[in-house]
Structure formats: C-alpha cells, structure tokens
Amino acid sequence: MTTTEGFQVSLDAAEQYEARFVPAIFAEWAPLLADIAGVRAGQSVLDVACGTGIVARTVAPRVTGTGRVVGVDLNDGMLAVARRVAPDLEWRQGDVTALPFVDGSFDAVLCQMALMFFPDRTAALREMARVGRPGGVVALTVPASLDAQPAYGPFVEMAVRVAGAEALSLLNTYWACGDLRELLNTVTGAGLAVTEIRTHAGTARFDSPDELALTEVEASPLAARLTREQYGAIRSGARKVLAPFTGPDGTLAAPLHGHLVAARVPSP
Ligand SMILES: C[S@@+](CC[C@H](N)C(=O)[O-])C[C@H]1O[C@@H](n2cnc3c(N)ncnc32)[C@H](O)[C@@H]1O
C-alpha cells in the first residue's frame, strides 16, 4: 500500500482545519481512541501525525500529574496551530518513519485519521511500535472504505467528476485503509498483536452542505488544486448529493464510518 498524498497544508489551511474540520469531525473520534488505548493517569502518550492536536488535547486531562503528552507531525503549519491552541503541551516536528524519540518512550502511541497518508504504512507502524514500551499500546483510527460511506460516497463521486485526477488522488486516499481485513494484516505485519477492534458510526456535522464542501477544500491540500469554477461546482453539487442528510433547518448530519484498532507492542 503506497500513497503520494501526505496531507501537507499551508498555515492558513491548518487554521481552517482547526476551526472547521476538528469540531465537525475529528473531535468526536479522539475520546474513542483514548478509550480503546486505555489511556490513564500517569501514562506517557504520543499523538502521531497530531495535526492541530485534537488527540493530544483530549488525552492530556486523562494522564494528569506525572503523565506526559507529546504531539508530533511533519507539517509546520499544523504544529504552529497546535502550539497556539495548547501552548502547555509538548509539540515536535518529525516524520513517522523516523520519530525523534528513543525506544520504549511511551505507554501509548496514538494515531488518528493519518495512517492512509503514510507512504510506507508497515514501516510507520513499526516505528510507532519502536517508540512504544514493550507491553504498551499502539492505537489507530481510520475512515472505513468509501463504499461503506452513504454520504461521503456520493460526495466524493461528484467531486471527482467535477475536478478529475487532481481531486481523485487525495479523495481516494482518505479511504485507503478502510478495508478492515487489510488493515489488520498491515498492523500484524508490523509485528503488533491486535487486542481490540471497533467500527464506529460517527456523524460529520456542518451548518450546511456548502460548509462541508468549503471545509473539504479550504482545510485540505485541495485548496491549491481547484479552479474557481470547479470549487463552485463542488459546492452546488454538495447541496444536491447531500440533500438526504440535510435537515429542515439546513444543517447537515453526514454519517462517517471508521475503524479503531488497538494493538500490543511486543517485547524485543
Ligand atoms: C487528516 S490529518 C489528521 C490530523 C490529526 N491526527 C487529527 O485527528 O486531526 C493528517 C496529518 O498527518 C500528517 N502527516 C502526513 N504524513 C506524515 C508523516 N510522514 N509523518 C508525520 N505526520 C504526517 C499531516 O501533516 C496531517 O497533519
């Protein structure tokens, strides 16, 4: 499994990501990831590919006192926003394939909605396991496959029709780890022992279908790839394809299915 899509964004898009994507989608998943990883007081926790830091911020109150929470991401813009929002937490720049920590540094290594953007997922999981302590946990969240997404399926199909290959590559990558059997093979292939699996039916909540389209474009690498006409067509297309998920008041509640996996770090 390989991708060339690394979800690299500008500082402006990172601000949009924090203001729009995080409350609409990612905040719902962070406590579920902390739960499946069993994060508790006194633990040291790493948030890999932390983006603007929603997972790190969510686990921080759980580790209390002697605990430690670190967020690491490749993207300087994401980290700048993470530092602004939560200056008291520890933020590090780094690539998942060479994490800047010694072996066994963390009780729990968490990674939310990012595995699909790593060029070598097995190598990434091995590196996450390396910085986890033996007997500790690596836990992941990924979106389920596109064919299991009743709202995003039609939205992506429409956006790809409008914007072509430039949009296709990114929009397909979001769902690239969604086949559960393949995902579990990748996790075990990296030497981790799967301990718990959960598929969750989440809800992406936006003020309107337009707002979903705006977020998907302006808070992601798509912003730099579309013409003004394509962007306009995606917004009006969203109103049509997302109509079944739009309430009488115009707000959108789009189902978003995803998988959570927890795995034990082996002893060396
Ligand atoms: C969709 S965002 C998810 C961010 C965050 N986990 C959340 O739940 O909001 C994907 C993140 O993966 C990061 N990323 C992509 N490739 C990476 C790599 N090789 N190493 C570290 N971070 C990476 C991107 O910079 C981006 O912040």
Side-chain angles (χ1 to χ4, degrees), residues 7-202:
F7 204 91
Q8 291 308 288
V9 294
S10 64
L11 175 59
D12 184 47
E15 291 286 5
Q16 297 283 337
Y17 184 97
E18 173 62 22
R20 298 174 186 277
F21 254 138
V22 171
I25 296 181
F26 299 110
E28 176 186 356
W29 293 85
L32 304 177
L33 186 61
D35 287 347
I36 203 169
V39 173
R40 56 187 185 278
Q43 286 193 322
S44 54
V45 181
L46 179 64
D47 177 9
V48 172
C50 61
T52 56
I54 183 61
V55 169
R57 295 201 301 269
T58 302
V59 301
R62 299 192 185 203
V63 303
T64 63
T66 56
R68 176 192 184 200
V69 178
V70 185
V72 63
D73 199 281
L74 196 55
N75 187 276
D76 288 329
M78 290 289 204
L79 288 168
V81 177
R83 281 192 190 99
R84 179 181 59 69
V85 177
D88 295 343
L89 297 183
E90 199 177 327
W91 306 104
R92 298 281 294 270
Q93 201 274 339
D95 191 314
V96 68
T97 55
L99 291 169
F101 309 102
V102 298
D103 295 4
S105 298
F106 297 95
D107 298 301
V109 180
L110 312 184
C111 181
Q112 171 166 287
M113 303 289 188
L115 184 68
M116 53 279 185
F117 298 113
F118 302 154
D120 183 338
R121 293 167 196 148
T122 305
L125 286 162
R126 283 213 181 95
E127 182 65 354
M128 287 188 237
R130 180 189 68 75
V131 300
R133 70 162 170 78
V137 64
V138 170
L140 311 162
T141 311
V142 295
S145 301
L146 193 55
D147 57 12
Q149 306 288 0
Y152 275 91
F155 174 78
V156 169
E157 195 186 315
M158 175 277 299
V160 168
R161 221 173 27 245
V162 168
E166 286 292 309
L168 179 72
S169 163
L170 177 69
L171 292 173
N172 272 349
T173 301
Y174 287 146
W175 325 98
C177 294
D179 181 304
L180 190 54
R181 190 190 305 207
E182 209 177 299
L183 175 64
L184 297 177
N185 281 342
T186 309
V187 173
T188 51
L192 289 153
V194 173
T195 52
E196 197 174 337
I197 304 160
R198 183 173 169 202
T199 294
H200 174 70

